[in-house]
Amino acid sequence: MTARLIYVVGASGSGKDSLMSYARHRLANESQVVFAHRYITRSADAGGENHVALTQDEFDSRCRAGLMAMHWESHGHAYGLGIEVNQWLAKGITVVVNGSREYLETAAQRYPELVPVWVEVSPEVLRARLQARGRECAEEIEKRLAHAPKNQVLGRRGELIRNDGELRLAGDTLVNLIRHGSGSEVVSCA
């Protein structure tokens, strides 16, 4: 397996965290695959992904020290991936990250081995998931829905995983993509 940076993106509520958790569990014994934790200026108990919570001052300090391989801001929080990503890639290990759609072009310029994986769900499923997680009020949910891309992969390179159904189906697709470079249910985008 050649080292790749699997850069998972999709609208908030599309199920990226669930898919990545599923794949992390399935690939736990494979030493050539790691899942990077994001550093986020959001409380660790806010629900959603397993991340490293930092204050804004801590985050800024790490950026100034050159400890972030990638970082961006979205929805009032700072997000980052540490320089350990670079070390793992240099060792030939495939790294899976929860990325940002807005940061994708910058990340792709810095990492030629980057493989974008677009997670897509229908607007109805997205609304239900955002309501169920309870992190945003109705107005914030509608803003997120408006921000969610429609036909997000048109004109973009990468792989598409549809995540409207059973977690196992989309999860196995992500596992196959990580292991083999493509998944049986993945739609390639050029």
Side-chain angles (χ1 to χ4, degrees), residues 52-66:
V52 177
L54 297 176
T55 66
Q56 187 66 55
D57 288 340
E58 290 172 311
F59 192 94
D60 293 343
S61 176
R62 288 180 187 217
C63 286
R64 283 191 307 274

Side-chain angles (χ1 to χ4, degrees), residues 4 6-8 19 115-120 153 156-163 168-190:
R4 292 167 292 132
I6 307 295
Y7 191 90
V8 181
L19 286 174
V115 177
V117 176
W118 300 86
V119 178
E120 186 175 271
V153 295
R156 300 192 181 171
R157 68 181 182 96
E159 306 287 342
L160 170 65
I161 298 178
R162 299 197 189 280
N163 192 27
R168 180 186 59 78
L169 297 175
D172 285 344
T173 299
L174 179 59
V175 168
N176 287 333
L177 189 143
I178 294 167
R179 280 185 177 145
H180 307 294
S182 68
S184 58
E185 298 297 317
V186 172
V187 177
S188 290
C189 308

Side-chain angles (χ1 to χ4, degrees), residues 8-73:
V8 181
V9 294
S12 184
S14 64
K16 298 180 305 288
D17 299 326
S18 296
L19 286 174
M20 290 177 66
S21 179
Y22 179 93
R24 173 184 268 145
H25 176 73
R26 291 283 312 276
L27 298 169
N29 291 324
E30 297 193 23
S31 61
Q32 292 302 300
V33 177
V34 296
F35 290 76
H37 285 84
R38 290 199 296 186
Y39 299 91
I40 307 176
T41 57
R42 180 175 67 213
S43 171
D45 61 1
E49 75 182 281
N50 178 12
H51 66 279
V52 177
L54 297 176
T55 66
Q56 187 66 55
D57 288 340
E58 290 172 311
F59 192 94
D60 293 343
S61 176
R62 288 180 187 217
C63 286
R64 283 191 307 274
L67 300 177
M68 294 293 181
M70 297 173 255
H71 60 91
W72 60 90
E73 291 190 17

Side-chain angles (χ1 to χ4, degrees), residues 93-186:
I93 295 172
T94 291
V95 181
V96 183
V97 302
N98 187 340
S100 161
R101 296 182 311 259
E102 291 78 16
Y103 191 78
L104 174 58
E105 291 307 315
T106 301
Q109 290 172 8
R110 295 183 64 203
Y111 296 93
E113 65 276 14
L114 184 142
V115 177
V117 176
W118 300 86
V119 178
E120 186 175 271
V121 297
S122 68
E124 299 79 24
V125 169
L126 184 58
R127 178 179 278 108
R129 288 181 183 169
L130 290 172
Q131 290 169 340
R133 77 180 182 183
R135 274 199 325 227
E136 297 101 350
C137 69
E139 182 180 323
E140 292 168 324
I141 289 173
E142 292 308 312
K143 283 182 184 175
R144 281 193 181 270
L145 288 168
H147 182 67
K150 314 295 185 272
N151 297 318
Q152 62 186 2
V153 295
L154 293 177
R156 300 192 181 171
R157 68 181 182 96
E159 306 287 342
L160 170 65
I161 298 178
R162 299 197 189 280
N163 192 27
D164 281 317
E166 240 182 275
L167 175 63
R168 180 186 59 78
L169 297 175
D172 285 344
T173 299
L174 179 59
V175 168
N176 287 333
L177 189 143
I178 294 167
R179 280 185 177 145
H180 307 294
S182 68
S184 58
E185 298 297 317
V186 172

